[in-house]
Amino acid sequence: MSSEPGAAQTKSRAGWAGVAAVALAVGVGHLAASLTDRQASPVVALAARVIDASPTPLKSWAVATLGNLDKPVLVGGILAVTAALGVLVGRLAAVRPAVGWGAVGALGLVITAAALLGPGAGPVSAVPGLAATAAGAAALRFLLARAAPEHVPDDPTPAELAEAESSRRRLLLGISGVASLALLSGVAGELVRPSRSVRVVTLPGAARPLPAPPATLPIPGMSQLATPQIELYRVDINVAAPDIDAAEWRLDIDGMVDRPYSIGWDELLQLEVIERDATLMCVSNFVGGPYIGSGRWIGVRTRDLLERAGVRAGADMVLSTSWDSFTVSTPLPALLDERDAIVAVGFNGELLSKYHGYPARLLTPGMYGFVGATKWLRRLTVTRFADRQAYWTVRGWSEQAPLKLSSRIETPLPSRVLTAGTIAVGGSAWASRVAVAKVEFRVDDGPWREAILGPDGGLDTWRQWYVEWQATRGSHILECRAWDVTGKVQSAIDMEPVPDGAEGLHMVRVEISP
């Protein structure tokens, strides 16, 4: 029986070589992107194009099911597919060189095109893809030269065995070296920033500061009345949040106006700066879900900005555009009325983080985020609903979507095993531009009982509530519902988030032990 390695062994070695080569390509591409265009990093660009091409039901499922993990899962999936492609390309290049190297070129074209199709892309956006292709091709060529197994006869001499083992070690060392270089490149890409002066700005003060907000109810498990920014939900179409310099940021106001203009950070903050307490919620939030937060926003009224431009008759909508070309359609009256919608620059005493729209975002109290809370804001275009459609409107969501009257149970958590006796049940309730009048609670389809309301934080913020429940042994279903001051009660009919927000009663199952 001959011990000569066959095609299977050659393919196996070539496959590992391909994985290491694509790893280096990803790392070098990421490093090159950190010096040119961070959104052109190969994995980031590919993930962004996948998001753009995904159908609305898939996006909705990802947000509802994976939450803030949707983008890490997508990136992980792309890395897994990339590794599999590395195996394929390595094997092809080893046994069918023309096909294999053609595949290398095709992958290079794909990642370069993904970057060039991104918002704001320019010629420099091609650099990461080209650098990745060159690095990956060089690594693959280097490793394939070491991947061919040595011929070992049936009755090898010690010298022949030693040479075969040496060949195997050379390949392993080559793969280890390339993989290490890939890791170093990727880490460097996270740490390296282009040498440019970034302006440091401070949070402005309000011309007429609001009174201090009320305190959160002292009940364990309840959400804070003012959500810390680090805990505020993030739902957007960006894989990586952009790095925007306030010194370079500008806001354009155009469209159906008499005096279109552009305004920068300093000029914006020369206008009256105000504070607004408001609750913000994502329309993708399911009943009782986590994509909601509340707090004190600070910024400049959209009314002041639009009145300076001179809005023309016939306009009924403002199309706001983000840095990434994402668009939101907001009813014009909502940006001009007494709710005081703002171009926000801070939240709960902090500048906006880059994940929440730094340096400026739109905030429209009483409306879901997808129709009133554009992050990384760069343009306000006065227009008409009949003439323009926003990103999510094109994908089947509503043009206008005020927050729906709703409530949720925050404590106890679902499926918790609790001890019989007095248990605090509590949560929050909210509406759109109408105060919450009361919240009711019931157990196992029993009679509704009125809960105790927490402090009133203002017309556009959520209201906390709680009850003391005498829990008895067994499995129980807890429910809540809210009423507003007009006498409207929260809908009990289950509705999916599409097209204008979920409906239904929040239910929590708990187990009570003796």
Side-chain angles (χ1 to χ4, degrees), residues 2 43 47 56 102 107 122 135 160 212 251 260 273 298 301 318-319 385 401 405 436 447 453 473 476 489 497 507-508:
S2 173
V43 173
T56 298
L107 289 176
E160 289 170 331
L251 174 64
V273 175
I298 187 168
R301 294 183 186 89
V318 172
L319 190 77
F385 282 108
L405 177 64
V436 172
L453 290 180
R473 179 181 179 183
H476 299 283
V489 64
M507 295 183 288
V508 171

Side-chain angles (χ1 to χ4, degrees), residues 29-116:
H30 190 59
L31 176 57
S34 72
L35 300 171
T36 54
D37 177 3
R38 297 191 70 82
Q39 301 301 317
S41 177
V43 173
V44 172
L46 287 170
R49 302 294 80 74
V50 169
I51 291 174
D52 290 343
S54 297
T56 298
L58 180 58
K59 293 179 182 179
S60 302
W61 174 87
V63 171
T65 306
L66 302 174
N68 290 333
L69 294 176
D70 58 345
K71 295 175 181 67
V73 168
L74 174 59
V75 169
I78 287 176
L79 289 173
V81 171
T82 301
L85 288 174
V87 173
L88 177 62
V89 169
R91 291 183 172 186
L92 284 173
V95 298
R96 300 181 65 184
V99 176
W101 291 107
V104 170
L107 289 176
L109 287 174
V110 168
I111 60 176
T112 303
L116 290 173

Side-chain angles (χ1 to χ4, degrees), residues 202-204 229 249 265 268-269 273 297-300 342-347 350-353 357-361:
T202 58
L203 187 69
Q229 185 169 195
W249 173 85
W265 175 269
L268 177 75
L269 297 185
V273 175
W297 305 83
I298 187 168
V300 172
I342 60 174
V343 173
V345 297
F347 179 70
E350 302 172 334
L351 285 168
L352 295 174
S353 75
Y358 178 85
R361 69 177 293 167

Side-chain angles (χ1 to χ4, degrees), residues 63 220 225 268 279 316 352 363 381 448 472:
V63 171
L225 198 58
L268 177 75
T279 293
D316 61 6
L352 295 174
L363 185 280
T381 300
W448 292 101
T472 58

Side-chain angles (χ1 to χ4, degrees), residues 6-18:
Q9 188 175 358
T10 301
K11 287 182 178 181
S12 176
R13 291 187 174 192
W16 284 110

Side-chain angles (χ1 to χ4, degrees), residues 208 261 272 274 300-311 333-343 380:
R208 290 170 288 177
Y261 67 97
E272 184 180 11
I274 68 167
V300 172
R301 294 183 186 89
T302 55
R303 180 171 66 248
D304 294 343
L305 295 167
L306 294 172
E307 287 179 349
R308 173 178 168 179
V311 176
L335 299 181
L336 296 175
D337 64 22
E338 75 287 347
R339 78 184 68 200
D340 285 339
I342 60 174
V343 173
L380 296 174

Side-chain angles (χ1 to χ4, degrees), residues 250-270:
R250 298 198 68 82
L251 174 64
D252 298 329
I253 292 88
D254 58 17
M256 296 176 64
V257 296
D258 295 325
R259 300 173 293 278
Y261 67 97
S262 179
I263 190 170
W265 175 269
D266 289 334
E267 189 179 359
L268 177 75
L269 297 185
Q270 287 175 6

